[in-house]
Amino acid sequence: MTVDLQSTRAAFETVPWVRRAVVQREFPNRLRVVLLEHKAVAYWGAEGDARLVNNVGEVFEANPGDVEAEELPLLDGPKGQAPLVLQAYHELSPLFDEMDAALEQLQLREQGNWRAQLDSGAVIELGHGSLAEVQARTRRFIDSVTQVSSRFGRDVESADLRYASGYALKLRGVTTGDVGEKVDQKKKR
């Protein structure tokens, strides 16, 4: 009965997958311990980093090999912004699902700009602003990009949604340069 409950709780909470521990005394000579586990929903930080994000937006360190879900997205952002980035992922991911693309990576940069990468490898610059503004630009993009890409029969390589009234788009294998110039440049080499 002389066990320090606070230090015992702290010891349990140092275990990587333990989110919270509740330690209580039970009369006459027992301790009751309840452990709440982290539920990993995304990786956090650079690829290969051992940090994960749980379902409430908390970053924790664990062995990524212990993750049961195979295809977790990669999220990144400034310190303390994991809940916001996770919320943005949950709001944007269904939008990209509409165009049969999976949102694999979402990053909030220090300057406040958002960047997404899809499972196809396409990089989408989402710009800055509130989540509602980013979501509106993404909605506008998704509503029209399928028509544009199908017209050329090409997949999206990258897009820049930072413009107020439109977006810039790069399709795989499509160039806007003069084909004659490229042939001349190859001959000079």
Side-chain angles (χ1 to χ4, degrees):
M1 297 308 284
T2 61
V3 171
D4 179 12
L5 296 180
Q6 294 298 335
S7 63
T8 303
R9 180 188 56 78
F12 278 111
E13 289 178 351
T14 61
V15 176
W17 285 93
V18 174
R19 179 172 176 247
R20 185 176 310 138
V22 177
V23 180
Q24 299 171 328
R25 286 189 175 92
E26 284 191 354
F27 187 76
N29 58 357
R30 291 185 176 194
L31 287 179
R32 179 174 183 210
V33 179
V34 178
L35 302 177
L36 298 175
E37 178 184 14
H38 285 289
K39 291 182 180 19
V41 295
Y43 294 102
W44 181 260
E47 280 191 65
D49 200 345
R51 294 181 299 164
L52 297 160
V53 177
N54 68 16
N55 56 334
V56 293
E58 297 169 335
V59 177
F60 67 101
E61 290 195 34
N63 179 1
D66 292 342
V67 176
E68 292 177 9
E70 294 263 332
E71 297 183 18
L72 296 180
L74 177 62
L75 307 179
D76 194 15
K79 187 175 182 172
Q81 295 299 312
L84 177 64
V85 178
L86 181 62
Q87 177 187 356
Y89 174 80
H90 286 307
E91 291 181 15
L92 295 173
S93 185
L95 297 177
F96 288 109
D97 288 344
E98 292 176 21
M99 60 183 270
D100 294 326
L103 181 56
E104 282 192 345
Q105 296 182 23
L106 184 62
Q107 178 183 34
L108 174 59
R109 296 183 178 171
E110 291 286 340
Q111 304 84 3
N113 289 323
W114 292 90
R115 179 181 220 187
Q117 183 174 331
L118 306 180
D119 59 341
S120 65
V123 175
I124 315 293
E125 294 292 342
L126 302 170
H128 67 281
S130 69
L131 286 182
E133 292 169 326
V134 170
Q135 196 172 14
R137 283 193 300 271
T138 304
R139 165 59 54 209
R140 182 179 61 215
F141 168 71
I142 289 171
D143 286 346
S144 62
V145 73
T146 305
Q147 297 166 5
V148 175
S149 63
S150 64
R151 171 183 259 172
F152 292 97
R154 304 292 180 151
D155 292 329
V156 174
E157 185 172 322
S158 64
D160 188 344
L161 314 186
R162 296 177 288 184
Y163 301 99
S165 61
Y167 57 85
L169 182 66
K170 183 175 182 184
L171 300 175
R172 281 192 170 72
V174 175
T175 182
T176 57
D178 184 12
V179 176
E181 285 180 21
K182 289 190 175 195
V183 171
D184 289 340
Q185 289 175 356
K186 286 183 180 179
K187 287 181 183 178
K188 290 179 183 179
R189 289 183 191 171

